[in-house]
Amino acid sequence: MMPVSGKLAVTEKDRVSTFEHTNEIAQPSYYKVDLDTWKVTAEVTPTERAARFRFTFHQPADASYVVIDAFKSDMPGSIEIIPSKNEIIGVARDNSGVVPDNFGSHFVIVFDRPFTAYGVWSNDVVQASGTRLEGKHVGAYVKFDTSANPAVECKAASSYISSEQAELNLQQEIGNADFATIRRRAEDVWNKMLGRVEIQGGSDEQQRTFYSGLYRSILFPH
């Protein structure tokens, strides 16, 4: 997911943004960055299989977008917008190998407010008001009116099993919990996981390196 404002930009090349590390917070339980090109602050906080996102738009309120990219793959993926539920579902087939032939990352995204416009895209071809697309590289976009509230929030979950399992993961791990609640839970989980090992000695930099390595070793089950 990528927030853009002022104009719609769907491809990876067009939606790129500059940012400064001084305006970035990167923690196991929380990430925040100011996207200078689009005048948007992006935040995310995770669960094991889901996450809450918050995009705060600081630019024209009538042109606030979130772009979803299901990634390019040799196997066809799909994406579908369900406006009546403020929801997007799909499956991404992108992988780095050593996966079953039918591999797919099923995902569901639910936004906190209705869309003022939406569409699907493939490569650089946009289908305004389109709701479903299949192909080797597909995506979607949704537009919001942020004049009254500049912060657009959504919750997302994934599953390697099915779209139904992704929905279940979303309900079980986030449900109606708000951004602050999920962040507190994530901090508790990571403190517990990283607290399994206690080290002494060495410099602050060496200790940061150790815990960064420990973090990565338990980030994804290989």
Side-chain angles (χ1 to χ4, degrees), residues 133-165:
L133 196 62
E134 294 186 19
K136 293 184 176 181
H137 191 185
V138 296
Y141 71 88
V142 287
K143 185 179 180 181
F144 300 93
D145 180 356
T146 55
S147 55
N149 180 3
V152 172
E153 293 197 27
C154 67
K155 52 187 178 181
S158 64
S159 167
Y160 296 122
I161 299 173
S162 66
S163 57
E164 292 79 11
Q165 184 63 49

Side-chain angles (χ1 to χ4, degrees), residues 72-75 92-104 160 220-222:
K72 187 177 181 180
S73 173
D74 291 332
M75 297 184 294
R93 304 287 184 182
D94 181 55
N95 66 83
S96 301
V98 198
V99 297
D101 291 339
N102 64 343
F103 170 85
Y160 296 122
F220 190 85
H222 287 292

